[in-house]
Amino acid sequence: GQKLKRGTEVTLVVSKGPAPVDVPGILGMSLKDATAALAKVGLVIDVTKQINDSTPEGTILAVKPLPGSTVDRGSTVTVTVSKGPVLVMVPDVVGQGVKAATAKLEAAGFKVKTEDVLPVVNLNKVYSQSIAGGQMAPKGSTIVLKIV
């Protein structure tokens, strides 16, 4: 809005665009820590979630663009976060025979370990289970059966 005489030199400053930043190494971090690390360098996070049997809930599984890539400040980084393992209803097997109880738990996706409670008496029945029937537990977890 300033008036100048014709022929007066004017200096223009031209932007080179947003400052480039490197995507930090956030694989394996918690979502909270990854969000903070990205915000610190001026990047925006976009989250998708995925079930993963071997990674705890809230852990970063994948990053796009890859860590170490150079992007413009303000860019969006897409992360995939673990939802943790699938939870499965634990069958109640108390009072059942060991073979039947083991088969039922394994069919539901659990591993089974047995412990004899009274080695002198051998009724071969389930006395108790480490995770009660009706509760939810991660698929693939081990349930300990106490046997009498």
Side-chain angles (χ1 to χ4, degrees), residues 21-44:
V21 295
D22 291 336
V23 176
I26 58 173
L27 284 171
M29 283 186 174
S30 69
L31 178 57
K32 180 181 176 183
D33 291 344
T35 301
L38 292 171
K40 186 176 180 180
V41 296
L43 298 174
V44 178

Side-chain angles (χ1 to χ4, degrees), residues 11-12 18 33 70 81 120 132 145:
T11 304
L12 297 175
D33 291 344
T70 301
V81 179
V120 177
L145 301 178

Side-chain angles (χ1 to χ4, degrees), residues 20-147:
V21 295
D22 291 336
V23 176
I26 58 173
L27 284 171
M29 283 186 174
S30 69
L31 178 57
K32 180 181 176 183
D33 291 344
T35 301
L38 292 171
K40 186 176 180 180
V41 296
L43 298 174
V44 178
I45 190 167
D46 179 41
V47 179
T48 59
K49 295 188 177 188
Q50 171 182 318
I51 291 174
N52 188 291
D53 291 336
S54 60
T55 309
E57 183 178 355
T59 304
I60 304 297
L61 300 171
V63 181
K64 188 175 181 181
L66 293 172
S69 301
T70 301
V71 296
D72 292 338
R73 184 178 309 276
S75 295
T76 298
V77 175
T78 302
V79 299
T80 303
V81 179
S82 174
K83 286 182 167 181
V86 173
L87 295 179
V88 178
M89 178 85 66
V90 177
D92 185 2
V93 295
V94 173
Q96 296 182 15
V98 175
K99 285 185 181 180
T102 299
K104 193 172 189 178
L105 289 168
E106 287 176 346
F110 297 103
K111 296 175 187 168
V112 179
K113 181 180 174 188
T114 59
E115 294 178 359
D116 289 329
V117 176
L118 301 171
V120 177
V121 179
N122 191 2
L123 300 175
N124 217 19
K125 299 273 184 188
V126 176
Y127 171 73
S128 69
Q129 58 191 82
S130 59
I131 302 173
Q135 291 186 350
M136 301 298 281
K139 186 175 183 177
S141 57
T142 300
I143 297 178
V144 179
L145 301 178
K146 303 266 184 182
I147 308 301

